[in-house]
Amino acid sequence: MASIVPISQSVGANRIIPTVAIPHPLGNPTLDEKGEKALRRKLVEKALDALHTDVKEQTVF
Amino acid sequence: MAYRVIHYINQFFGGIGGEEKADIAPEVRDGVAGPGMGLAKLLGDKAEIVATIICGDNYCVGNQEEVGKFIVDTLKKYNADALIAGPAFNAGRYGMASGFACSAAAAAGYTTLTGMYPENPGVELYKANTYIVPTTDSAAGMGKALPVMAALFAKILSGEKLGTAEAEGYIERGVRINTFYEEVGAERAVAMLLKKIKGEPFTTEYKMPVFDRVTPRPGVKDLSKATIALVTSGGIVPMGNPDHIAASSARNYGGYEIDGVTDLVSGKYQTAHGGYDQTYANQDPDRVLPVDVLRDLEKEGKIGKLYHTFYTTVGNGTAVGNAKKWGEEIGKQLKDNNVQAVILTST
Amino acid sequence: MNLELHKVAVRQLAFGAKTGVSNGVLTVNKEELKALLLKDDRLAAVEFDLAHPGDSTRIMPVKDAIEPRCKLEGQGEVFPGFIGPVESVGSGKTLVLEGMAVLTTGRLVAPQEGIVDMTGPGAPYTPFSQTCNLVVVLTPREDIKLHHAEETCRMAGLKTAHYLASQCKAAKADHTESYDFPPLTQAMQAYPGLPKVAYVYMLQSQGLLHDTWVYGVDAKRTLPTLISPTETMDGAIISGNCVSACDKNNTYVHLNNPIIKALYKRHGKEINFVGVVITNENVTLADKQRSSSYAIKLAEMLGVDAAVISEEGFGNPDADLVLNCVKAEKAGIKTVLVTDEYAGANGASQSLADSCQEGNAVVTGGNANETIVLPPMAKVIGDIGQADVIAGGFFGSKRPDGSLEVEIQAILAATNELGFSKIGAYTI
Amino acid sequence: MQANFTAGADTPKQICFFCDGDALQVLVAARDLIHMGWKLVHHPLYGNYRPHQQPYRSILLQREAENSGLSHEQNPTQDQSLNPAYQCLAPDPASLQLIEAALDVYRADRVLNPQQVPDVMLRDCSQLDYELMRLPLEQAGWEAA
């Protein structure tokens, strides 16, 4: 899970989840606590989905 | 006139003891000890090991300033010309200690050489400062290592200009040395272009740093039964950064227990990463390491278990060799504890 | 287009009554030259001095080095846009005073450098320790803008070089070189079996003291374009570049571009050298994208199989070098890059500030951070006070005994990125 | 950097920060802004000087005017969370790669601090920094004085 997809690709990561921003990849300070946790949950669920999926090459989910 | 050499070895090869003696402070003995005997014979009349420094691996890695001073003082006291260390084979801390010892001596202007297994972490950390001869990964390879070390050491001491790593048999140090070639650069460039056009092999004069590829693993069939671990290069550590992971060019990683922890809260966890504005990660470390959400998913049975330990380092100007080494070590840890999947977060 | 270079060998310089060359000795009438240069009232004073290979002499800071040339026959005059009109050059006959150089020096801006040592350990690092040098020591007026002071010094160098050559038009050439550059239609059909090769010639264009001019036009304000190699031999490209000494292309190396020379040497035998694309290195990211795409598109329009790409400077232009390389290789054009390195005093840092997987064929002019101690010289021409603030050197680089400890970055053309010298680097 | 660039009519709303300390601080401040979505107008390593040769460094960044994400007086390295206008857009990969490369160069060298520089050189370095920033400022809509 990383905010700059091209960098993850260049270092060889195979399952990549784009995230929010560098200082807070899985959060956003402008949202309220509930909103931010919902955002984080959506991103983590995407990660779990990626772990569940077979991939042949570098894939951005 | 034989060169005067100091030999640096650890507590084990100094015959003092094993792991339990890894904390002994450095001491010096006249003449040779341990593998020094073999080296002395091989060096013959070219160089004489006038004294041997014996130091515990933990002590050296933990007290570098003091040990560094001790080494340089010893070199001066014995009016020595050079320092040879190890060989350390694949012993991680001994490799780092040998590399450090050579580094400290080289910084004070002395000729140095050591030997260790190419995958030893000491290589990546110190290859820029000293010559390192590749050895096997265990002391069984002592017989093969010493002659190579002695021969190269004698050549360096004689002041002969060394060729490339490949030609001379040392580990490439990644150090650029200027030279005057036969042809001017423009001729060399056009000659190289012709070879590239014709598909003939050529040797570039400078290798651009590039990364290798990994084949993807198959997907996890049933997440509700899987143990998932969290690893991050975003630098999230317990408050106070107990293992002092550096803000940039980190030299280590940490593993921390989170059994019973359902949320990373400000004041208990922080970021040690120097590569981004720390405000938001310190306010809520979950923004980098999503422990809170994974605990919810664990409670709801969506995942089997969140592994009890998370691993962390600071990915900010980290040496590629180190990152690779840590990745392998962490991977092995997780595999041995039958973790099925890992979520890697980075900033 | 065909250009003949009539090369008159100069082995000795002397001051005397009449400017002219005979059996290898160039005599210079100082007063006549001084009067010519002082026509520019922005110059407060000008002095001249001589330096020959082997002299115990140091010249610093050197701003530009120029080889004396003038047209004998054919269109326009050398250094179009400055000395000559803006008419196209590169054909006919041109006189060259070979074996000598005009070196301009004097105080322009504090952080400024360029050491030439005519002897000692520093000599092998600069081509100008092997030439007979007429040194023009310039003192621009204090009350003029930096812009104008720079222009004054640049013009003085070009005027001196042109003046010297034009006083020797009658001299018989010691040898002549002839360069053909046929129209593209012919060039494309010539040598059908040989690979077509272009040269992508990156010109430093970052701003004051970092500029290059083509036919009098500031390279920052141009789109990449085609130029005939023979035009570069008549000074179509001149340097306004004072930073940094080791890898800026002074006018001398533009006139004697070694990559063009190496490509011509194999032209018709192993390659078909079909063209030169000049492009710039502006600091803005939009210009970098625009210029790299445009330059490589020109190479594609020429239908070349391969290209040599040379960079000028470091850091900022590393990005352009990588963009040019990636775009060329993606267009199926095989490349070799010519650059230099800043790998730190210990040689262990990353040499370039950018990299790409496509850059698998690279030639370099060595590590500019290598430190060297230059012993004191009997004579110093220029502004010795510079040593302390010299780029590449650092405070306290002048030792009590008068010797200088500097990085070779401070030595003129030490790591030239056209591959002018034999220097390079290897990895231990 | 001298401020005799005047903002033209259509010059976008501009915010100017002066960082005290050395050029490395300027690059770190620019990095934090890039993490928030500001884009570089020019290469951070403009000019052929090494970190120990030119004490001044200016970085021009731009972002759509309405959500600049910063209140006028705020210095980017101060605590942002108090700032309601904090807005974070995805960072521009090119700007990020360039600023990180620049930080690597500055971390591998001695960084000259303006206090270490004699006045005569300081004046020329400031003038040169201003000259080299002319083109980026013009392209971002400022008119040169």
Side-chain angles (χ1 to χ4, degrees):
Chain A
M1 302 182 81
S3 12
I4 307 302
V5 172
I7 293 181
S8 307
Q9 285 166 327
S10 78
V11 297
N14 288 315
R15 293 181 174 84
I16 303 166
I17 316 291
T19 57
V20 176
I22 287 180
H24 39 78
L26 300 164
N28 185 340
T30 60
L31 305 175
D32 61 27
E33 210 186 322
K34 213 157 75 42
E36 196 173 12
K37 193 153 187 205
L39 164 67
R40 185 154 47 248
R41 169 119 187 180
K42 196 157 67 54
L43 288 168
V44 172
E45 280 175 344
K46 219 163 138 191
L48 294 179
D49 174 44
L51 284 170
H52 181 64
T53 317
D54 287 336
V55 292
K56 286 187 301 314
E57 50 182 8
Q58 295 189 286
T59 313
V60 179
F61 287 79
Chain B
M1 193 280 286
Y3 293 97
R4 295 171 60 81
V5 172
I6 302 285
H7 185 207
Y8 175 94
I9 54 177
N10 73 350
Q11 77 284 354
F12 176 73
F13 286 98
I16 294 177
E19 261 316 300
E20 77 294 351
K21 292 289 186 205
D23 296 309
I24 57 155
E27 59 181 74
V28 62
R29 290 197 201 133
D30 289 348
V32 292
M37 279 170 255
L39 272 176
K41 253 202 253 76
L42 289 158
L43 288 169
D45 55 15
K46 293 200 198 64
E48 183 202 355
I49 297 181
V50 293
T52 303
I53 296 174
I54 302 170
C55 179
D57 290 334
N58 291 355
Y59 194 91
C60 177
V61 174
N63 307 280
Q64 295 198 333
E65 214 174 318
E66 183 206 321
V67 173
K69 190 177 174 307
F70 182 91
I71 288 170
V72 176
D73 291 349
T74 308
L75 283 160
K76 287 199 186 93
K77 198 175 120 211
Y78 282 84
N79 183 14
D81 306 299
L83 181 117
I84 189 162
F89 304 105
N90 199 21
R93 270 167 297 120
Y94 186 23
M96 282 194 270
S98 304
F100 170 74
C102 290
S103 216
Y110 293 93
T111 304
T112 63
L113 178 123
T114 182
M116 63 186 87
Y117 185 57
E119 297 297 318
N120 191 310
V123 171
E124 182 66 28
L125 290 177
Y126 296 109
K127 64 181 181 176
N129 310 344
T130 178
Y131 286 101
I132 304 175
V133 167
T135 69
T136 59
D137 62 357
S138 81
M142 185 69 84
K144 224 150 78 37
L146 294 187
V148 177
M149 284 176 74
L152 189 58
F153 196 46
K155 188 166 184 181
I156 301 169
L157 281 171
S158 68
E160 237 183 280
K161 195 164 191 281
L162 283 193
T164 59
E166 219 181 323
E168 307 280 355
Y170 56 85
I171 293 175
E172 185 164 279
R173 300 175 49 190
V175 172
R176 298 293 286 168
I177 303 286
N178 283 347
T179 185
F180 287 93
Y181 285 97
E182 284 304 311
E183 295 285 351
V184 294
E187 286 291 334
R188 303 190 320 251
V190 176
M192 191 182 286
L193 188 65
L194 283 171
K195 288 205 183 101
K196 188 168 179 180
I197 295 169
K198 293 181 197 141
E200 291 168 8
F202 61 88
T203 336
T204 182
E205 291 181 8
Y206 170 67
K207 283 201 282 299
M208 298 259 194
V210 265
F211 293 100
D212 42 27
R213 286 288 172 270
V214 176
T215 47
R217 305 288 307 141
V220 176
K221 288 299 155 269
D222 183 351
L223 282 168
S224 69
K225 303 242 175 341
T227 303
I228 295 176
L230 269 174
V231 178
T232 185
S233 61
I236 299 300
V237 289
M239 210 59 194
N241 189 3
D243 292 315
H244 313 299
I245 300 175
S248 76
S249 311
R251 287 281 180 92
N252 54 347
Y253 64 90
Y256 304 106
E257 290 300 317
I258 39 170
D259 262 354
V261 173
T262 58
D263 186 3
L264 300 184
V265 293
S266 174
K268 282 266 190 323
Y269 290 87
Q270 63 163 100
T271 178
H273 199 295
Y276 57 83
D277 180 349
Q278 303 187 329
T279 311
Y280 311 100
N282 286 337
Q283 264 171 16
D284 179 0
D286 289 311
R287 287 174 173 156
V288 177
L289 204 66
V291 170
D292 56 355
V293 161
L294 280 165
R295 281 293 184 223
D296 295 347
L297 290 164
E298 187 184 48
K299 212 159 44 248
E300 295 158 27
K302 294 274 181 2
I303 62 167
K305 199 156 73 69
L306 173 58
Y307 185 57
H308 54 74
T309 300
F310 75 87
Y311 291 91
T312 180
T313 187
V314 167
N316 182 21
T318 318
V320 172
N322 280 344
K324 194 160 169 290
K325 181 107 184 92
W326 302 334
E328 282 153 11
E329 282 172 16
I330 295 171
K332 190 174 180 310
Q333 280 283 342
L334 297 178
K335 202 157 187 342
D336 293 351
N337 290 276
N338 53 60
V339 167
Q340 279 79 42
V342 177
I343 293 182
L344 273 168
T345 75
S346 75
T347 53
Chain C
M1 230 169 185
N2 175 278
L3 178 67
E4 271 181 20
L5 295 183
H6 289 243
K7 297 203 162 183
V8 176
V10 172
R11 283 179 294 279
Q12 181 78 27
L13 299 178
F15 291 124
K18 190 174 174 316
T19 302
V21 65
S22 72
N23 46 56
V25 179
L26 176 73
T27 308
V28 181
N29 177 331
K30 267 207 280 198
E31 296 323 319
E32 192 176 78
L33 179 53
K34 183 179 277 193
L36 170 68
L37 296 183
L38 288 179
K39 282 200 188 113
D40 179 344
D41 57 17
R42 294 172 301 183
L43 263 182
V46 63
E47 295 306 325
F48 304 98
D49 215 324
L50 303 178
H52 290 90
D55 290 356
S56 175
T57 301
R58 167 166 302 141
I59 309 149
M60 93 185 201
V62 177
K63 280 192 224 336
D64 198 6
I66 311 111
E67 184 174 55
R69 294 189 177 198
C70 71
K71 292 301 291 181
L72 293 172
E73 267 174 41
Q75 235 166 263
E77 180 51 284
V78 294
F79 311 132
F82 292 102
I83 304 293
V86 291
E87 190 45 69
S88 291
V89 292
S91 57
K93 295 186 170 67
T94 298
L95 178 82
V96 177
L97 295 184
E98 189 179 44
M100 70 162 291
V102 172
L103 301 184
T104 54
T105 184
R107 200 189 133 358
L108 181 59
V109 149
Q112 233 259 285
E113 80 317 28
I115 297 175
V116 169
D117 276 3
M118 301 307 288
T119 188
Y125 286 93
T126 175
F128 303 102
S129 59
Q130 309 311 315
T131 52
C132 309
N133 299 316
L134 172 68
V135 185
V136 184
V137 186
L138 299 157
T139 313
R141 281 212 328 259
E142 287 292 330
D143 60 347
I144 58 171
K145 281 198 160 164
L146 189 52
H147 261 81
H148 297 134
E150 187 277 328
E151 191 189 351
T152 304
C153 297
R154 177 163 31 98
M155 285 307 293
L158 298 177
K159 281 181 197 164
T160 302
H162 177 256
Y163 161 78
L164 293 176
S166 43
Q167 301 303 310
C168 306
K169 283 187 175 175
K172 201 173 93 33
D174 291 284
H175 68 269
T176 304
E177 294 164 6
S178 172
Y179 297 95
D180 258 338
F181 199 72
L184 287 179
T185 46
Q186 286 169 29
M188 291 306 158
Q189 273 108 31
Y191 320 112
L194 299 182
K196 293 189 185 58
V197 176
Y199 168 35
V200 178
Y201 192 178
M202 290 167 61
L203 305 177
Q204 166 106 259
S205 60
Q206 296 186 53
L208 184 63
L209 295 191
H210 299 68
D211 277 325
T212 307
W213 277 271
V214 184
Y215 278 94
V217 177
D218 171 358
K220 287 201 296 298
R221 312 280 178 189
T222 61
L223 270 175
T225 186
L226 295 179
I227 192 167
S228 147
T230 57
E231 288 174 282
T232 69
M233 298 172 188
D234 273 347
I237 301 172
I238 67 114
S239 164
N241 222 331
C242 300
V243 192
S244 66
C246 66
D247 53 23
K248 65 168 184 192
N249 292 326
N250 49 58
T251 303
Y252 189 97
V253 296
H254 282 306
L255 286 168
N256 296 285
N257 187 311
I259 293 175
I260 287 177
K261 190 173 163 204
L263 289 170
Y264 254 126
K265 204 173 92 181
R266 292 175 169 78
H267 180 53
K269 305 186 191 72
E270 295 169 277
I271 59 167
N272 182 1
F273 175 29
V274 291
V276 179
V277 176
I278 47 174
T279 182
N280 54 22
E281 300 170 352
N282 290 5
V283 293
T284 55
L285 302 188
D287 288 343
K288 287 188 186 307
Q289 288 298 344
R290 178 179 18 242
S291 293
S292 52
S293 294
Y294 203 98
I296 299 309
K297 177 201 64 191
L298 287 176
E300 281 183 276
M301 288 164 80
L302 289 173
V304 294
D305 305 299
V308 177
I309 306 177
S310 72
E311 173 186 13
E312 181 177 5
F314 62 88
N316 166 61
D318 293 351
D320 303 86
L321 180 68
V322 162
L323 284 170
N324 288 329
C325 173
V326 170
K327 290 176 182 179
E329 293 280 347
K330 284 214 162 66
I333 298 169
K334 295 186 171 62
T335 62
V336 163
L337 311 180
V338 187
T339 178
D340 67 350
E341 300 174 54
Y342 284 78
N346 63 4
S349 302
Q350 189 140 330
S351 298
L352 297 175
D354 209 338
S355 77
C356 59
Q357 293 197 297
E358 293 79 358
N360 61 6
V362 182
V363 163
T364 91
N367 176 21
N369 295 130
E370 179 192 358
T371 313
I372 188 171
V373 176
L374 305 175
M377 292 282 156
K379 180 176 176 185
V380 177
I381 308 171
D383 183 354
I384 181 70
Q386 287 294 327
D388 285 345
V389 292
I390 213 159
F394 29 80
F395 291 111
S397 67
K398 194 162 60 174
R399 294 179 169 188
D401 67 358
S403 61
L404 292 181
E405 188 183 357
V406 286
E407 292 181 354
I408 61 171
Q409 180 189 11
I411 298 176
L412 194 65
T415 63
N416 176 273
E417 292 172 290
L418 299 179
F420 197 88
S421 311
K422 296 184 175 179
I423 192 169
Y426 63 95
T427 303
I428 62 167
Chain D
M1 189 183 75
Q2 286 141 320
N4 45 10
F5 258 82
T6 52
D10 54 5
T11 306
K13 178 168 170 288
Q14 72 287 341
I15 301 163
C16 183
F17 300 116
F18 283 95
C19 292
D20 45 27
D22 55 29
L24 185 56
Q25 265 69 47
V26 173
L27 293 176
V28 169
R31 179 203 66 197
D32 288 348
L33 286 166
I34 289 169
H35 287 176
M36 288 168 49
W38 287 77
K39 288 191 177 60
L40 283 171
V41 172
H42 60 94
H43 197 290
L45 295 175
Y46 64 90
N48 246 7
Y49 293 107
R50 304 289 303 154
H52 61 268
Q53 294 158 348
Q54 160 66 288
Y56 292 110
R57 183 93 350 216
S58 312
I59 304 288
L60 187 61
L61 300 111
Q62 65 188 28
R63 198 161 93 158
E64 297 68 44
E66 73 290 357
N67 48 18
S68 70
L70 290 174
S71 54
H72 194 79
E73 326 69 35
Q74 198 113 23
N75 181 313
T77 47
Q78 276 151 3
D79 183 345
Q80 284 307 302
S81 63
L82 311 176
N83 163 26
Y86 174 83
Q87 272 258 332
C88 92
L89 301 172
D92 165 44
S95 300
L96 186 69
Q97 201 260 331
L98 289 171
I99 198 72
E100 285 295 341
L103 283 165
D104 286 345
V105 169
Y106 269 73
R107 286 200 191 100
D109 201 343
R110 272 178 313 98
V111 182
L112 192 60
N113 198 307
Q115 281 79 10
Q116 299 165 298
V117 181
D119 289 349
V120 68
M121 181 171 167
L122 216 50
R123 191 199 67 225
D124 291 335
C125 288
S126 157
Q127 162 100 26
L128 280 170
D129 191 64
Y130 163 62
E131 288 295 336
L132 293 172
M133 286 301 291
R134 219 186 246 278
L135 192 65
L137 287 161
E138 276 163 24
Q139 286 194 3
W142 294 58
E143 277 109 38

